[in-house]
Amino acid sequence: MFAKWKEKRAEKKAKNDAIAKSQYWKDHALLRSCLQAMRGSCTLAPVELHEAAIAVVNIAMQEDNWNRLEELIDIPGDFFGNTGFIVWNDEKLPVLKAPWILVEENLADVRAVADQTFLVSETLDRIIWFDRDGRIRLYSLG
């Protein structure tokens, strides 16, 4: 009898935890500010692309083959396509898909969401990393 009660209690706790985690990003003030600045032009990345963008960032971090830049204007013009993914180092936040030009215009709001921001190209082969010290780094597979 207690086993069934404990099982139901554990299921309810797991469900409540999952709901709380899903609400975290909705109540995140800096993310809301970023979304407002982007004027609804970004979307949540589909699950498979969400996971792929995070995987690419993790691979790049493990390889540790980054090129350091002094300023954002040093990024080659053809480095990024028209659209990309925004990944933050807070696993509770969603991965967003957004037009690069809009990300560039609102970079301060995008970077304010978490202490590390990764902009991943739509082709998943190039990354711009803004680390917690404000340094800019580039990663490219090719």
Side-chain angles (χ1 to χ4, degrees):
M1 182 170 163
F2 280 124
K4 193 163 187 108
W5 177 77
K6 282 184 179 181
E7 184 180 320
K8 280 192 164 208
R9 187 170 177 216
E11 286 174 7
K12 184 175 181 179
K13 184 178 179 334
K15 182 179 177 183
N16 288 342
D17 288 347
I19 290 170
K21 282 182 183 177
S22 72
Q23 296 299 315
Y24 170 82
W25 69 270
K26 292 179 184 176
D27 297 330
H28 196 285
L30 293 172
L31 178 61
R32 279 200 326 236
S33 175
C34 173
L35 293 172
Q36 287 173 349
M38 302 283 270
R39 299 181 298 277
S41 295
C42 56
T43 59
L44 292 176
V47 174
E48 57 278 352
L49 292 174
H50 172 107
E51 293 170 354
I54 290 173
V56 167
V57 168
N58 287 332
I59 289 168
M61 296 299 284
Q62 287 178 352
E63 287 182 3
D64 197 26
N65 189 19
W66 297 86
N67 295 319
R68 189 169 172 192
L69 295 180
E70 293 302 318
E71 295 188 38
L72 193 59
I73 60 170
D74 296 333
I75 297 172
D78 63 345
F79 186 79
F80 224 69
N82 294 330
T83 307
F85 300 101
I86 305 169
V87 178
W88 292 283
N89 66 323
D90 183 341
E91 69 276 353
K92 295 178 189 172
L93 294 175
V95 172
L96 300 179
K97 184 175 182 179
W100 169 242
I101 192 137
L102 198 58
V103 172
E104 201 172 22
E105 289 173 7
N106 297 288
L107 196 54
D109 290 308
V110 171
R111 290 182 59 195
V113 173
D115 64 348
Q116 295 189 67
T117 303
F118 302 88
L119 304 178
V120 180
S121 68
E122 190 171 25
T123 55
L124 302 172
D125 61 345
R126 296 177 180 196
I127 304 170
I128 302 171
W129 172 25
F130 299 93
D131 70 13
R132 59 179 46 99
D133 297 323
R135 292 181 297 234
I136 305 168
R137 299 173 189 230
L138 299 180
Y139 175 85
S140 179
L141 287 176

